[in-house]
Amino acid sequence: MEHGYPKRVTLKSGKTVTLRPPADGDEPALVTFFSRLPPEDTQFLQDDVREPDIARRFVRERDPKHLFALLAVGEDGQ
């Protein structure tokens, strides 16, 4: 996979997560995650990732040469 990912890490809280680039099927979780953030935390994003079509494009059309994104996914898949 890209740049040595996926990679399992343990957070300070003791929770284990897997760091990995976005993959097909991540769109609904991204929309949910960004929808729960307060507006002031998303105001500087170029695109509104709370929109399903934007999240889909973010996952499927990303170009790692210009934007390297990672997701932290818990053992529960969230």
Side-chain angles (χ1 to χ4, degrees), residues 33-34 37-50 54 58:
F33 173 79
F34 282 106
L37 294 176
E40 60 270 14
D41 287 351
T42 61
Q43 67 183 343
F44 297 108
L45 295 176
Q46 182 176 353
D47 296 310
D48 186 357
V49 187
R50 296 171 295 181
I54 301 294
F58 175 78

Side-chain angles (χ1 to χ4, degrees), residues 11 16-17 20 22-23 28-29 32 35 38 40 57 64-65 67 71 78:
L11 305 177
T16 300
V17 297
R20 64 169 177 76
T32 299
S35 294
E40 60 270 14
R57 192 176 78 221
K65 294 177 187 172
L67 171 68
L71 302 180
Q78 296 295 310

Side-chain angles (χ1 to χ4, degrees), residues 5-20 70-78:
Y5 291 95
K7 188 179 298 185
R8 288 176 53 89
V9 297
T10 302
L11 305 177
K12 288 181 183 181
S13 67
K15 181 177 180 178
T16 300
V17 297
T18 300
L19 300 177
R20 64 169 177 76
L70 286 176
L71 302 180
V73 183
E75 293 175 341
D76 61 358
Q78 296 295 310

